Amino acid sequence: MGTRGSFIMRKGNAVKEAFIRWDAYPDGIGRDVLTLIKTVDLDRLFEQLMTEKEFFERFPKDKIPGGESQFFSLRLCEDAAGSGEPYVYFQPEWEEEEWFIQDSLMCEYAYELDLNDRLLYYSVGFQKSPQQGNRFGCKKTREGYYPCRLKAIYSFDYIRQHDTYGVLQQMKNAKLEESDVIRRYTQDPEPPAAKPETHAPQKQGVRQLIIARKDLEMSPGKLAAQVSHASMAFISHLLLRGVAEKELKGDTDEVAAYQVTSEIPPEIYDDWFRGIFTKIICEARNRDHLLKAVTMAEELGLREGRDFFLIKDCCLTELEPEEYDENGKGRVLTCIGFRPLKDDMAHAISKKYQLYK
């Protein structure tokens, strides 16, 4: 099940809500919302928000990934439209005066763009107690949950003047706070400098991206093995390309161990090996869909065998060969594993894929 959420636009007395099927967390749809605020005519976007019926009247169902049953996020609508303009439809299923944001058991994140006051309201789900003054009320669901809790307010100007990564970190930190304090980011504490800033940009995080094929219908054990191969590939590469400087002898004068020296980029060593080994696992519909990640990676300057690794199973158990090597041994491509990448580079690839589920 994906990370669900709500995208809301408010203009005048009109309110439109779009259901987000997956990737509603800040690094997913949150990043896309910030990009919209920085780059898109929001008043025009509000007019383009369509109902489900209007959306499918405009775009043929056979041209849209997932067909009629698919719930669309902002970026999927943009891909389907094929025009470079973002389109969103909102769900008409909710009863009048009820909104998806009001059920925080189902809605994990919410992003409300208020075009009247030019503000972004950021809210989070899983709320077992009401928040006084909540814009969407304090009604309790049958499961015992209340509307999403407002955690931070951003002016559009603040978002446009600040680094996207920094704003995303503020959102993540706000979610972790237990207090009812609502963080407000509407202006800089100091006037903007007359000259361009010269301080170092805020440091990005690092994550490892792995994409596995869904069409192979691998058993849980097989999938776990293939993803493990993908995760370990770059580590194996570091060790195997390292220089074996010493053979450490045991009591019997046999080699007890090898001492290997390898060069590791500082962001990988400091932020990943000494961090929490952040990983994201996505799914590809088939072989061709998986190989599109290779094309995107190469366009970003990444290289196979150094920055990413194609994992091929030997077909000794449950999988059937799709290709044969020069020795006649069968292989099947199962997944691709990347070395740990900076957040923005990993997102440039992963945003085209769903989380594996």
Side-chain angles (χ1 to χ4, degrees):
M1 184 177 293
T3 304
R4 296 158 297 187
S6 170
F7 173 77
I8 299 171
M9 296 192 78
R10 183 187 299 267
K11 184 177 181 181
N13 295 323
V15 181
K16 296 181 179 180
E17 180 182 46
F19 175 84
I20 299 171
R21 180 64 181 83
W22 52 69
D23 289 1
Y25 44 80
D27 278 332
I29 293 297
R31 185 188 298 270
D32 294 340
V33 169
L34 297 182
T35 300
L36 284 177
I37 293 173
K38 290 185 175 186
T39 62
V40 170
D41 183 338
L42 296 174
D43 293 285
R44 185 162 178 256
L45 175 61
F46 181 83
E47 302 304 325
Q48 292 173 332
L49 285 174
M50 293 174 278
T51 65
E52 184 177 34
K53 180 180 178 181
E54 291 170 335
F55 187 89
F56 287 113
E57 285 177 350
R58 180 160 186 170
F59 303 111
K61 296 170 186 174
D62 61 348
K63 301 296 183 183
I64 301 171
E68 184 176 6
S69 64
Q70 181 66 63
F71 292 104
F72 288 90
S73 68
L74 294 171
R75 58 175 176 266
L76 285 179
C77 285
E78 183 176 353
D79 291 345
S83 64
E85 297 180 341
Y87 288 88
V88 188
Y89 71 76
F90 67 94
Q91 293 300 320
E93 300 172 1
W94 315 112
E95 298 177 7
E96 186 176 0
E97 302 302 328
E98 290 191 4
W99 304 87
F100 188 59
I101 190 177
Q102 291 178 313
D103 185 354
S104 68
L105 173 61
M106 305 298 291
C107 183
E108 299 178 51
Y109 295 92
Y111 307 88
E112 179 189 352
L113 275 62
D114 189 329
L115 303 188
N116 300 318
D117 297 324
R118 318 307 284 181
L119 297 173
L120 166 65
Y121 292 82
Y122 166 66
S123 303
V124 300
F126 299 120
Q127 302 301 323
K128 297 286 285 184
S129 61
Q131 181 183 37
Q132 298 301 318
N134 191 302
R135 290 158 67 87
F136 288 88
C138 297
K139 184 178 178 180
K140 187 177 182 180
T141 66
R142 287 178 298 179
E143 292 78 14
Y145 287 82
Y146 291 87
C148 291
R149 184 176 296 268
L150 179 61
K151 301 296 288 189
I153 301 173
Y154 295 86
S155 71
F156 293 172
D157 286 341
Y158 181 93
I159 291 171
R160 289 165 179 153
Q161 294 169 6
H162 287 76
D163 174 66
T164 296
Y165 177 77
V167 177
L168 293 175
Q169 290 301 116
Q170 291 170 350
M171 288 182 172
K172 295 175 189 177
N173 293 337
K175 182 180 187 299
L176 297 175
E177 292 181 351
E178 298 293 337
S179 68
D180 286 333
V181 174
I182 300 173
R183 299 295 178 184
R184 297 178 184 271
Y185 303 93
T186 55
Q187 61 183 7
D188 291 322
E190 299 178 0
K195 297 181 180 180
E197 297 180 0
T198 58
H199 63 270
Q202 191 166 7
K203 191 175 182 180
Q204 290 197 60
V206 174
R207 70 179 74 176
Q208 185 180 34
L209 169 63
I210 298 169
I211 306 172
R213 285 174 60 178
K214 189 76 168 180
D215 63 312
L216 296 177
E217 298 183 347
M218 292 179 276
S219 66
K222 190 67 173 180
L223 176 62
Q226 298 303 304
V227 170
S228 296
H229 290 324
S231 181
M232 288 292 297
F234 95 97
I235 299 177
S236 300
H237 172 69
L238 288 177
L239 293 176
L240 292 175
R241 77 173 185 178
V243 179
E245 294 185 337
K246 290 183 180 180
E247 292 183 352
L248 305 180
K249 303 292 186 177
D251 295 337
T252 61
D253 205 36
E254 294 181 352
V255 176
Y258 292 99
Q259 181 172 305
V260 179
T261 300
S262 294
E263 294 183 359
I264 302 175
E267 68 269 15
I268 294 179
Y269 183 78
D270 294 334
D271 298 340
W272 203 78
F273 278 109
R274 301 184 68 181
I276 58 174
F277 297 93
T278 303
K279 299 178 184 68
I280 178 171
I281 315 299
C282 295
E283 64 182 37
R285 294 188 297 272
N286 49 43
R287 177 189 173 91
D288 290 341
H289 191 210
L290 180 68
L291 290 175
K292 287 183 179 179
V294 174
T295 302
M296 289 187 285
E298 291 174 340
E299 291 174 349
L300 292 170
L302 303 179
R303 191 174 74 197
E304 183 181 356
R306 183 193 67 186
D307 305 306
F308 65 89
F309 304 84
L310 296 176
I311 307 303
K312 297 182 178 181
D313 184 63
C314 295
C315 303
L316 301 178
T317 53
E318 63 184 66
L319 298 179
E320 296 295 329
E322 290 184 341
E323 59 185 78
Y324 293 86
D325 62 18
E326 63 275 8
N327 299 317
K329 294 183 178 180
R331 297 284 191 273
V332 59
L333 177 63
T334 60
C335 52
I336 179 174
F338 290 83
R339 65 169 173 81
L341 303 171
K342 291 185 177 180
D343 285 336
D344 58 353
M345 182 171 287
H347 180 70
I349 301 172
S350 67
K351 69 180 183 179
K352 297 297 183 180
Y353 297 85
Q354 300 181 36
L355 293 177
Y356 200 101
K357 55 184 181 298

